């Protein structure tokens, strides 16, 4: 991390993971004492890291066990995110920018608390609504109205709350009489509009927006943009992922620049967007650290795997030797063999 | 885990209702389908065992159905729980809610089916009124049912957690359930099992549960104490194991779906 350019939103004093907790706690204490006007921190990330196993969709097979026993490394890990540190205060709207594969969506999922970090910790205070993959979790055979109820409840509203908002949601989605049709008959635009309307209706304290503004036609886009602006005005904290830097400058006060799973910079959105542009042009988006990491297999695991394999070989060999020694031609076959062959009683 | 569940009871209720409704949506015969399976099985097995094998078991259809209904509750819940993560993948990836709701919703949904299927048992008792024994031992039913639910919950939690990480679970589950199907006294009374084998088999809590149901309903007798204690211990153990396994894997649900 280039420390000269570093301009974090609430810069932790140092970046050594061991000192982080102490520092930030002390810092928060100072801030609270010095300036009570600052709104409270609603999202606090401390040294957050998320790694994925490579080839993780394969389960452990016996052949993998053999490979583990005799190869130098066990698993390959890919750090999708590492050493992420920031504080986001109530009412701020923050953009996450960066090239593809920077870890923006992973970070959003961690903030939405559907994905757990493997390292560090994150604190989120307040009801989160995620405008990610709109309409995910809808059931195709149910009507729009039924899906609104199911989705609203899963997002944390009570049944009464959702019934009270029903008319608003339906009118915002412009679905009219189709609301009582099964959503399998909806067009994709209708689905997206319904998804946005539900997600935007839960009175979020923290709103996560991932490219969701590309929903529907121009009129609906403008309307959803207005809705998000209303949230912003009412003090909702907004996290925003997009590649449209113009939108970031127009809409967000702060921005975090991610690349290869690392935080490169954080600060005022206009400055960050400018730096991002410069970095893209000068090709300076390289990762400060290699995101790949291979971990040495714990010795006892290797020994255990080897022992299992040797034991299996041993059993087979012993059985073979036993058979050869005992069963020379002309001899009566051992009882067990006869039983196996179905000759015995 | 339990306080989380209480906080999200509305989510749980909605998921159960959704599951239940989805099953009967767009089906002309609706709920009837949940009775069709056991009905067909009772008829077919009665023909096979009564008229071909000639087992001579008294009230065979009733004897069979009293065992089959709780066993179906078990297999259906466990199978559904194993798939619950995959089926709700979109929801898991998008919304943060306690994952434990998914398998529990499966168990509750199939508990509802279990009660619907019980109507068949009642119906059969109308055919064989002389088989019914009214006694104070009927008070044992809720106890037996509780043991059964604890066991089903334990297995459901375990397979729900495992199947997200290792999809082999589904296949292993299929063969295990098949073995359990025949190792459970559904078609035969447990007294037919040689004592040496019985000592091992009775650690399957379904043995105690099914034998107790039969004792209470068909003989008006209390459950066999020895069997019931073993079943209760095994069920409690299973629930602990299931909860531990589920806790281990619930954090990585979104990573593997």
């Amino acid at each position: 991390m280039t420390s000269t350019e570093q301009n974090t939103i609430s810069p932790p004093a140092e970046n050594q993971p061991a000192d982080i907790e102490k520092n930030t706690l002390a810092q928060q204490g100072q801030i609270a004492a010095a300036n009570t006007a600052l709104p409270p921190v609603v999202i606090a990330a401390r040294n957050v890291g998320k790694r994925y196993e490579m080839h993780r969709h394969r389960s452990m097979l016996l052949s993998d066990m053999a490979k583990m026993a005799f190869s130098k490394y066990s698993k390959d890990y890919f750090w999708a995110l590492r050493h992420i540190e920031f504080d986001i205060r109530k009412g701020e709207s923050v953009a996450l920018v960066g090239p593809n594969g920077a870890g923006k969506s992973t970070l959003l999922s961690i903030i939405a608390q559907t994905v757990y970090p493997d390292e560090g910790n994150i604190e989120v205070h307040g009801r989160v609504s995620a405008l990610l993959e709109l309409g995910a979790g809808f059931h195709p055979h149910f009507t729009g109205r039924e899906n609104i109820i199911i989705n609203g409840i899963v997002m944390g509203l009570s049944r009464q709350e959702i019934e009270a908002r029903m008319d608003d949601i339906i009118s915002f989605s412009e679905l009219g009489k189709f609301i009582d049709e099964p959503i399998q008959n909806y067009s994709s635009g209708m689905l997206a509009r319904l998804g946005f309307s539900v997600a935007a209706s839960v009175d979020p304290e923290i709103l996560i927006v991932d490219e969701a503004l590309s929903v529907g036609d121009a009129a609906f886009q403008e309307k959803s943009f207005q809705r998000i602006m209303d949230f912003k005005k009412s003090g909702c904290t907004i996290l925003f992922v997009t590649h449209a830097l113009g939108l970031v400058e127009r809409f967000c006060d702060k921005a975090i620049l991610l690349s290869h799973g690392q935080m490169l910079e954080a600060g005022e959105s206009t400055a960050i967007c400018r730096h991002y542009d410069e970095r893209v042009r000068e090709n300076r988006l390289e990762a400060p650290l290699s995101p790949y990491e291979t971990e040495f297999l714990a010795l006892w695991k290797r020994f255990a795997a080897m022992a299992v394999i040797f034991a299996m070989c041993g059993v087979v060999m012993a059985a073979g030797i036993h058979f050869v020694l005992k069963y020379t031609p002309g001899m009566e076959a051992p009882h067990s063999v006869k039983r196996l062959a179905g000759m015995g009683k | 885990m339990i306080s989380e569940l209480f906080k999200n009871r509305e989510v749980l209720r909605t998921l159960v209702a959704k599951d239940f409704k989805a099953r009967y949506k767009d089906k002309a015969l609706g709920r009837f389908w949940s009775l069709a399976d056991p009905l067909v099985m009772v008829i077919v097995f009665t023909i096979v065992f009564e008229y071909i094998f000639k087992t001579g078991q008294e009230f065979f259809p009733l004897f069979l159905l009293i065992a089959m209904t709780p066993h179906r509750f078990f297999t259906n819940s466990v199978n559904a729980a194993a798939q619950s993560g995959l089926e709700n993948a979109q929801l898991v990836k998008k919304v943060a809610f306690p994952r434990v709701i998914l398998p529990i919703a499966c168990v509750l949904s199939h508990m509802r089916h279990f009660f619907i299927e019980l109507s068949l048992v009642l119906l059969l008792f109308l055919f064989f009124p002389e088989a019914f024994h009214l006694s104070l031992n009927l008070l044992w039913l809720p106890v037996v049912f509780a043991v059964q639910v604890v066991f089903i919950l334990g297995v459901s939690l375990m397979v729900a957690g495992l199947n997200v990480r290792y999809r082999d679970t589904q296949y292993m589950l299929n063969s295990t359930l098949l073995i359990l199907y025949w190792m459970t006294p559904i078609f035969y009374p447990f007294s037919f099992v040689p004592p040496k084998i019985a000592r091992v088999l009775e650690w399957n809590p379904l043995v105690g549960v099914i034998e107790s149901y039969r004792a209470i309903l068909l003989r008006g007798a209390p459950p066999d104490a020895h069997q019931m204690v073993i079943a209760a211990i095994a069920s409690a153990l299973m629930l602990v194991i299931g909860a531990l396994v589920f806790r281990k894997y619930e954090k990585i649900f979104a990573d593997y779906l």
Side-chain angles (χ1 to χ4, degrees):
Chain A
M1 212 172 273
T2 44
S3 57
T4 45
E5 284 166 341
Q6 198 187 12
N7 180 15
T8 41
I9 286 169
S10 285
E14 272 171 65
N15 267 332
Q16 273 91 35
D19 295 331
I20 279 159
E21 205 136 76
K22 250 188 293 170
N23 280 330
T24 49
L25 281 179
Q27 222 177 33
Q28 278 167 2
Q30 280 166 17
I31 290 168
N35 190 354
T36 43
L38 267 181
V41 173
V42 286
I43 305 172
R46 294 286 167 266
N47 192 33
V48 167
K50 176 74 196 172
R51 66 181 187 191
Y52 287 102
E53 243 172 67
M54 306 293 280
H55 318 296
R56 68 204 165 89
H57 282 289
R58 278 181 35 204
S59 337
M60 259 267 273
L61 304 171
L62 274 177
S63 60
D64 292 337
M65 253 169 91
K67 261 186 235 151
M68 262 171 74
F70 297 107
S71 78
K72 200 168 149 198
Y73 302 108
S74 60
K75 294 167 178 170
D76 289 336
Y77 288 111
F78 172 77
W79 285 92
L81 279 179
R82 208 158 193 202
H83 306 316
I84 303 297
E85 299 246 354
F86 57 79
D87 283 335
I88 293 175
R89 293 177 181 280
K90 190 170 183 317
E92 284 181 336
S93 48
V94 181
L96 300 179
V97 293
N100 283 334
K104 303 184 293 288
S105 298
T106 308
L107 187 52
L108 285 192
S109 306
I110 289 177
I111 293 169
Q113 288 170 314
T114 56
V115 166
Y116 291 79
D118 289 310
E119 203 177 70
N121 64 311
I122 187 145
E123 274 180 47
V124 180
H125 305 284
R127 173 145 69 189
V128 181
S129 174
L131 299 180
L132 312 158
E133 298 173 53
L134 290 170
F138 278 174
H139 195 291
H141 292 158
F142 289 170
T143 66
R145 193 184 295 273
E146 287 166 324
N147 271 303
I148 291 175
I149 294 177
I150 295 169
N151 237 35
I153 286 176
V154 173
M155 284 185 193
L157 290 180
S158 73
R159 191 171 282 270
Q160 290 90 324
E161 282 175 302
I162 198 96
E163 307 249 310
R165 281 156 220 229
M166 188 58 90
D167 291 337
D168 278 348
I169 298 173
I170 295 173
S171 71
F172 192 84
S173 68
E174 299 168 15
L175 283 168
K177 61 181 177 179
F178 295 111
I179 199 70
D180 289 311
E181 285 295 307
I183 65 165
Q184 58 188 350
N185 302 335
Y186 284 18
S187 71
S188 53
M190 287 161 89
L191 268 182
R193 263 156 37 206
L194 184 65
F196 184 92
S197 308
V198 181
S201 73
V202 299
D203 280 350
E205 287 157 281
I206 297 166
L207 185 69
I208 295 178
V209 187
D210 190 358
E211 310 274 11
L213 288 179
S214 48
V215 162
D217 50 23
F220 193 80
Q221 269 185 36
E222 192 48 41
K223 203 163 93 168
S224 30
F225 190 76
Q226 276 310 320
R227 175 58 75 97
I228 294 177
M229 286 306 259
D230 290 346
F231 280 131
K232 191 182 165 182
K233 270 182 220 140
S234 65
C236 174
T237 311
I238 295 174
L239 278 142
F240 193 48
V241 165
T242 184
H243 290 290
L245 293 186
L247 214 51
V248 172
E249 286 180 53
R250 178 177 154 204
F251 185 69
C252 297
D253 338 312
K254 309 259 171 99
I256 296 173
L257 173 55
L258 293 170
S259 178
H260 294 94
Q262 314 266 332
M263 244 171 90
L264 293 186
E265 292 177 42
E268 297 300 320
S269 61
T270 40
I272 297 294
C273 288
R274 202 179 58 238
H275 291 171
Y276 180 35
D277 247 5
E278 284 165 13
R279 279 170 182 270
V280 171
R281 254 180 284 127
E282 293 162 24
N283 201 10
R284 281 195 299 125
L285 281 166
E286 76 289 344
L289 291 169
S290 164
Y292 288 92
E293 185 170 292
T294 41
E295 284 195 359
F296 201 68
L297 183 57
L299 264 180
W300 70 266
K301 261 191 179 168
R302 270 177 82 178
F303 279 132
M306 278 166 89
V308 168
I309 290 162
F310 282 141
M312 275 155 59
C313 296
V315 168
V316 172
M317 274 164 63
I321 290 169
H322 177 86
F323 184 74
V324 169
L325 290 184
K326 280 277 171 68
Y327 192 58
T328 43
M331 249 175 87
E332 177 83 3
H335 186 58
S336 54
V337 175
K338 271 165 68 176
R339 277 272 290 275
L340 273 177
M343 299 185 293
K345 291 159 227 156
Chain B
M1 224 177 202
I2 289 163
S3 66
E4 261 184 350
L5 213 59
F6 187 74
K7 252 194 275 168
N8 289 280
R9 62 194 183 281
E10 192 123 30
V11 180
L12 185 60
R13 201 180 307 144
T14 311
L15 283 182
V16 173
K18 174 189 132 176
D19 191 52
F20 196 79
K21 239 164 133 185
R23 193 179 309 271
Y24 298 122
K25 206 94 183 177
D26 295 332
K27 285 154 192 107
L29 291 177
R31 287 176 193 205
F32 172 78
W33 286 117
S34 94
L35 298 182
D37 256 14
L39 202 63
V40 169
M41 280 166 84
V42 164
I43 294 170
V44 170
F45 284 124
T46 303
I47 293 170
V48 170
F49 284 93
E50 278 286 77
Y51 298 101
I52 301 177
F53 274 123
K54 297 198 177 62
T55 52
Q57 176 68 45
E58 222 185 346
F59 312 121
F60 186 81
L62 208 47
F63 172 85
L64 179 65
L65 200 64
I66 286 176
M68 218 164 64
T69 312
H71 189 267
R72 278 171 57 83
F73 177 21
F74 167 72
T75 25
N76 290 344
S77 310
V78 169
N79 272 325
Q83 294 300 326
S84 62
L86 307 184
E87 250 171 39
N88 295 290
Q90 292 304 322
L91 216 53
V92 169
K93 278 199 236 171
K94 190 189 171 198
V95 190
F97 63 95
R99 276 55 174 124
V100 74
I101 283 180
L102 295 177
I104 291 182
C106 289
V107 174
L108 290 184
S109 165
H110 283 285
M111 194 188 285
R112 235 168 127 174
H113 289 286
F114 172 71
F115 286 123
I116 294 175
E117 288 183 30
L118 276 188
S119 62
L120 265 188
V121 178
L122 293 182
L123 203 73
L124 269 185
F125 268 120
L126 291 183
F127 273 97
F128 304 101
E130 66 275 27
F132 188 69
H133 287 268
L134 189 68
S135 72
L136 269 183
N137 286 322
L138 286 178
L139 293 176
W140 279 104
L141 282 179
V143 180
V144 180
F145 183 67
V147 171
Q148 183 191 355
V149 172
V150 165
F151 177 62
I152 291 175
L153 211 53
V155 181
S156 298
L157 284 176
M158 188 176 82
V159 294
L162 273 178
N163 200 37
V164 171
R165 175 67 184 84
Y166 301 100
R167 302 285 154 87
D168 316 47
T169 312
Q170 185 57 50
Y171 298 107
M172 267 165 69
L173 186 66
N174 285 342
S175 23
T176 313
L177 285 180
L178 186 67
I179 296 171
L180 270 186
Y181 188 60
W182 292 100
M183 296 295 112
T184 306
I186 296 173
F187 302 106
Y188 51 87
F190 196 62
S191 53
F192 279 20
V193 181
K196 249 193 198 163
I197 306 175
R199 215 176 302 150
V200 180
L201 289 192
E202 65 195 0
W203 280 95
N204 165 12
L206 290 176
V207 171
V209 166
I210 286 173
E211 281 300 298
S212 304
Y213 280 138
R214 278 179 181 158
I216 297 165
L217 291 174
L218 292 180
R219 297 196 294 277
D224 183 293
H226 173 73
Q227 267 176 13
M228 239 1 245
V229 168
I230 289 187
I233 293 174
S235 300
L237 215 62
M238 195 61 233
L239 184 63
V240 171
I241 294 173
L244 288 178
V245 169
F246 192 82
R247 252 180 57 178
K248 179 166 184 221
Y249 291 108
E250 70 175 337
K251 294 208 161 182
I252 56 165
F253 263 39
D255 296 350
Y256 283 89
L257 290 173

